[in-house]
Amino acid sequence: MANTDFENSSCREFVKVLASNAPVPGGGGASALVGAVGTALGSMVCNLTAGKKKYAVWEEDINRILTRAAELEDEFLKLIDEDARSFEPLSKAYGIPKDDPRRDGIMENALKDACAVPLKIMQLCCEVIDLHAELAE
């Protein structure tokens, strides 16, 4: 099994492996990382706004958004490695000879599993967009 501790690798290491011919990380892991970074930018806005007299009336909302954003950042980061783990079986399934009668079933299951994490990333992105829209208001 390939290294699946991308969550804790440096940005430079992650990008180097992403650019290589290694099957993981791939688009899902990269999307999860970008999701965490985008969420963190909203957290930055919250942290720059919290505690300011001018925004005191919204302090409770800012703190709620900041708390949820921290949870989402953590979920995104965990999905980097989860995507790698779920994609690797698909990568191996592509190597099964086309005349192997088990190939279609293996491929179908591997494709379903490999799609689950990117779908979760998209769901989290929608939630972040909603948080950021609320923050912008």
Side-chain angles (χ1 to χ4, degrees), residues 1 5 7 54-55 61 68-69 75 80 83 86 113 118 120 136:
M1 177 175 251
D5 191 23
E7 175 186 353
K54 181 178 179 180
Y55 302 108
D61 292 327
R68 183 59 184 142
E75 286 184 60
I80 296 170
D83 182 69
S86 70
D113 292 343
K120 177 67 174 171

Side-chain angles (χ1 to χ4, degrees), residues 1-6 23-24 88:
M1 177 175 251
N3 171 27
T4 56
D5 191 23
F6 299 113
V24 294
E88 193 164 19

Side-chain angles (χ1 to χ4, degrees), residues 45-121:
V45 171
C46 288
N47 283 313
L48 289 168
T49 306
K52 301 274 186 344
K53 288 181 185 180
K54 181 178 179 180
Y55 302 108
V57 68
W58 296 289
E59 189 76 19
E60 188 176 311
D61 292 327
I62 291 167
N63 288 329
R64 177 183 46 76
I65 291 169
L66 188 59
T67 297
R68 183 59 184 142
E71 294 167 353
L72 289 165
E73 289 165 28
D74 189 54
E75 286 184 60
F76 276 122
L77 291 172
K78 288 178 181 173
L79 288 172
I80 296 170
D81 291 331
E82 191 173 326
D83 182 69
R85 285 189 298 274
S86 70
F87 182 78
E88 193 164 19
L90 177 60
S91 176
K92 289 180 180 177
Y94 280 117
I96 298 172
K98 293 186 186 215
D99 60 350
D100 186 325
R102 301 171 304 132
R103 186 177 196 269
D104 288 346
I106 292 170
M107 286 290 293
E108 182 177 347
N109 289 331
L111 281 165
K112 285 178 185 175
D113 292 343
C115 289
V117 175
L119 287 172
K120 177 67 174 171
I121 293 166

